Amino acid sequence: MRVQCDAPILDHQQLSDCEFEITLHAPEVAKQAAPGQFAHLLLSNNYDPLLRRPFSVYRVNRDEGSFSMVYLARGVFTQGLRQKRVGQLVPIVAPLGNRFVYEPDDDRTHVLVAGGVGAPPLCFLAREMVGSGCGGRIVVINGARSRSHLIGAHELSQMPVELHVLTDDGSTGCKGIVTDVLADMLTELNPSMATVYACGPTAMLRAVTDLIVPVGIPGQVSVETPMPCALGVCMGCVIKLHHAAPPGFIYKRSCADGPIFAADQIIWDN
Amino acid sequence: MSTSSVKLPDQPPTASLAVTLGRLKLKNPVMVASGTFGFGSEYADLVDLNRLGAIVVKAVTLKPRVGNPMPRMVETAAGCLNAIGLQNPGLDAFLTEKLPYLRQFDCPVIVNIAADRAEEFSALAERLSEAEGVAALEMNISCPNQATGGIEFGVDPKMTEMVVKSVRGKTDLPLIVKLSPNVTDITVIARAAVSGGADILSLVNTFVGTAINAKTRKFRLANRTGGLSGPAIKPLALYMVWRVANAVPVPIIGMGGIMTATDAIEFLLAGAGAVAIGTANFVNPTASLQAIDGIREYLQEYGFHSVTEIIGKVSS
């Protein structure tokens, strides 16, 4: 059940020169939120900016009744958000969207592919997988532009997962991109016993899809689109999917039908 | 965001919010605008639909429409441009999947219909008139008329009168005609719609606009142009409502950038008999309920017994 409320800021931390983690008190959201879901935040009531913005849930603390999100302060909205102090209220609607799903299976390989600010929901997923003892092999490929854009790598390094860290500039981990590692892994993966979970920039999601779909590895891809309403009504956040009936495709709402879609369903337009 | 007001025992009797638009009776003057509230179910866990004056559903076309390519929506200063392309499941799916759900609520359902041919408008009107649970029809005449090479019905008085007349002949339901603001003189189109048989006029639809990305030197919308909505258009919409209300004898549903109860009251003062909340539903899902509460508080504060006492009462 979605909740609309004004959530007080419990904590607001700078993670690197441009990344921040904001923690809100919202017990109903903390109780329900699952990996892949998001909250829709309103910055101000003076119409500047007018619309809300979606942020993936990074962490939940059910005892404290809180959840957090990580954001990159780069636009009007996020620059405004970083000015907010502990105790201030943030209007939210949450939790929204669907979640990553996994089968607890000792023989399964879970490959989590995280790019830049796409990492938070996958960190949440890895934490849940490990915490629930889902079994199987968990591989996390976490990449970003540089060290300061990398999210969750330290925490992931403490978890019982196989972690690959990459940066475009080599400032930490290996120099390279996430799909380099994924491509190297493909031959050792049994398509019926592996699942890929991906979140990151569209170009990365497309590259991941191009690698796994031809070899039949199922993938769950969390897409990134603008989300004007995030309530499923404005139809401004649609993603093109294969569809049997003419004209051969259908537009689905990334807010309400997604943001996670099966990799083999997505049609990536230029 | 929602605050519940505590009722004190010594308060005067609550002012009446009921309004009558021709044959359409509403328990309050606040409806939700087409395209901003889906088919109701999308909001039902956040908004008590029984409290709304009316629900105007997303535009329904005779056949399903896939809609325009992305990007379809872009935020602008205090507003947003959209070019959705009327994506909807079509009339059959509306009748079998959407309307039965809406019938369970104590809230009039107004069906917005869109078509690019007069015959399609007529067919929609005919079939919807046979359906149970439709309180009124709202015609979206801002669609291009294929018979005239794509000129919008609603920018030409003759085409407006013709298409409204064709629908009028097919339905006994209250007929609302939603006017486009993208015209030289909206009162001319308003009169044409009334001549064609409109019972009620709703205005305004979105203003045509565009947005360009200077860095990429591309249009921000795949469709290049879109309809502007949101608080940015409120003064323009308010002006048009005031002009039309003084030009035609039929009731007006005012809309265009209403975000708050105060905005809604301004439209009522300008002459609207009811208002519709649009883009505000995206920003604040309970904006419509807050507008209803706010109008009631305003009436109490200024000693009005009924909302009808303030309609058209703006003065110099």
Side-chain angles (χ1 to χ4, degrees):
Chain A
M1 185 96 158
R2 302 174 297 186
V3 179
Q4 179 186 5
C5 66
D6 291 352
I9 300 172
L10 285 186
D11 197 11
H12 203 167
Q13 296 289 330
Q14 184 156 12
L15 304 180
S16 69
D17 41 326
C18 50
E19 281 167 354
F20 298 80
E21 179 177 1
I22 186 166
T23 305
L24 304 179
H25 183 69
E28 279 305 309
V29 180
K31 199 161 73 182
Q32 300 176 62
Q37 291 193 295
F38 62 94
H40 215 208
L41 272 56
L42 183 65
L43 184 67
S44 76
N45 286 314
N46 61 10
Y47 316 144
D48 181 26
L50 173 66
L51 300 172
R52 291 174 185 250
R53 297 285 188 280
F55 295 90
S56 289
V57 176
Y58 177 48
R59 200 186 290 281
V60 294
N61 183 331
R62 297 194 167 104
D63 297 333
E64 190 180 71
S66 69
F67 75 101
S68 77
M69 296 151 285
V70 174
Y71 65 91
L72 191 60
R74 61 178 163 190
V76 173
F77 193 102
T78 45
Q79 292 288 0
L81 191 59
R82 71 177 284 187
Q83 305 303 321
K84 303 260 184 195
R85 299 282 167 255
V86 169
Q88 282 186 276
L89 301 176
V90 180
I92 61 166
V93 181
L96 301 171
N98 60 0
R99 58 158 298 158
F100 288 110
V101 289
Y102 53 89
E103 292 170 42
D105 185 341
D106 287 344
D107 299 325
R108 183 161 291 274
T109 301
H110 305 279
V111 186
L112 284 59
V113 186
V117 281
L122 293 173
C123 292
F124 187 7
L125 177 65
R127 220 179 287 123
E128 188 189 83
M129 282 176 162
V130 169
S132 66
C134 90
R137 172 184 174 209
I138 303 171
V139 181
V140 182
I141 310 172
N142 191 7
R145 233 184 306 159
S146 69
R147 183 191 181 88
S148 63
H149 291 86
L150 197 66
I151 298 165
H154 176 72
E155 186 192 355
L156 290 164
S157 71
Q158 312 289 311
M159 285 189 213
V161 300
E162 289 173 40
L163 177 64
H164 300 263
V165 173
L166 301 103
T167 49
D168 294 355
D169 63 1
S171 50
T172 190
C174 296
K175 185 171 177 171
I177 56 175
V178 291
T179 42
D180 296 344
V181 178
L182 182 65
D184 288 344
M185 284 185 68
L186 283 185
T187 50
E188 55 170 293
L189 294 175
N190 173 356
S192 64
M193 292 310 294
T195 310
V196 169
Y197 313 81
C199 188
T202 300
M204 182 205 99
L205 298 178
R206 187 174 185 154
V208 168
T209 304
D210 289 347
L211 284 173
I212 64 172
V213 172
V215 296
I217 298 173
Q220 297 173 28
V221 173
S222 179
V223 298
E224 193 180 358
T225 67
M227 281 189 194
C229 82
L231 297 159
V233 297
C234 80
M235 315 305 275
C237 68
V238 295
I239 186 106
K240 202 177 197 177
L241 302 182
H242 292 288
H243 190 61
F249 66 86
I250 189 167
Y251 287 114
K252 287 283 188 182
R253 305 160 299 180
S254 59
C255 71
D257 302 307
I260 298 157
F261 294 96
D264 61 357
Q265 291 300 302
I266 302 172
I267 300 171
W268 300 104
D269 278 333
N270 290 321
Chain B
M1 300 188 58
S2 59
T3 52
S4 58
S5 57
V6 179
K7 285 209 172 66
L8 298 172
D10 57 347
Q11 273 187 335
T14 308
S16 168
L17 288 181
V19 293
T20 303
L21 307 177
R23 290 178 289 143
L24 191 59
K25 293 186 187 347
L26 309 178
K27 59 179 165 289
N28 68 64
V30 179
M31 34 181 98
V32 285
S34 178
T36 65
F37 213 75
F39 296 100
S41 60
E42 296 90 339
Y43 275 82
D45 59 333
L46 297 171
V47 177
D48 179 0
L49 305 187
N50 297 303
R51 289 193 58 204
L52 297 173
I55 292 179
V56 188
V57 300
K58 177 157 179 58
V60 175
T61 53
L62 205 51
K63 300 283 176 218
R65 296 238 183 139
V66 291
N68 288 334
M70 285 281 279
R72 290 175 168 189
M73 218 152 169
V74 58
E75 185 168 344
T76 55
C80 64
L81 280 166
N82 85 82
I84 304 302
L86 296 175
Q87 180 175 349
N88 82 97
L91 179 65
D92 290 340
F94 171 74
L95 290 172
T96 56
E97 295 163 23
K98 309 295 184 185
L99 189 57
Y101 172 84
L102 284 165
R103 278 201 287 263
Q104 68 183 297
F105 298 99
D106 175 27
C107 175
V109 176
I110 297 172
V111 183
N112 182 288
I113 54 175
D116 43 27
R117 291 177 192 282
E119 311 86 72
E120 284 178 21
F121 267 120
S122 301
L124 282 158
E126 197 162 12
R127 288 193 55 200
L128 285 161
S129 301
E130 294 161 2
E132 185 195 336
V134 177
L137 299 180
E138 181 182 61
M139 290 177 68
N140 174 1
I141 57 166
S142 305
C143 310
N145 180 359
Q146 294 301 338
T148 58
I151 301 166
E152 288 175 29
F153 289 100
V155 299
D156 177 86
K158 285 198 181 69
M159 281 204 299
T160 297
E161 186 174 346
M162 177 274 296
V163 73
V164 173
K165 202 172 266 176
S166 71
V167 169
R168 179 74 287 171
K170 299 289 181 187
T171 185
D172 291 326
L173 289 170
L175 183 59
I176 304 165
V177 175
K178 186 169 184 174
L179 303 182
S180 166
N182 304 300
V183 294
T184 310
D185 184 348
I186 196 167
T187 61
V188 173
I189 309 293
R191 286 193 198 95
V194 173
S195 298
D199 297 304
I200 302 165
L201 300 179
S202 61
L203 61 145
V204 295
N205 207 326
T206 55
F207 287 80
V208 174
T210 191
I212 294 170
N213 183 330
K215 270 191 208 161
T216 61
R217 296 181 287 281
K218 288 182 174 173
F219 286 104
R220 287 188 183 270
L221 292 168
N223 190 55
R224 296 189 288 188
T225 63
L228 183 66
S229 66
I233 70 167
K234 198 191 85 176
L236 306 168
L238 194 59
Y239 166 69
M240 289 191 171
V241 164
W242 173 68
R243 282 207 59 201
V244 172
N246 286 290
V248 294
V250 302
I252 307 289
I253 301 166
M255 71 189 87
I258 298 176
M259 301 298 286
T260 64
T262 305
D263 293 336
I265 290 161
E266 292 172 19
F267 276 81
L268 297 171
L269 290 167
V275 296
I277 309 281
T279 299
N281 292 313
F282 301 161
V283 180
N284 172 13
T286 48
S288 51
L289 302 184
Q290 288 171 18
I292 295 166
D293 293 339
I295 293 170
R296 182 181 287 114
E297 284 162 21
Y298 172 90
L299 297 174
Q300 306 277 105
E301 185 183 346
Y302 290 93
F304 294 106
H305 303 289
S306 164
V307 68
T308 56
E309 292 169 36
I310 69 167
I311 292 167
K313 291 300 159 61
V314 63
S315 62
S316 305

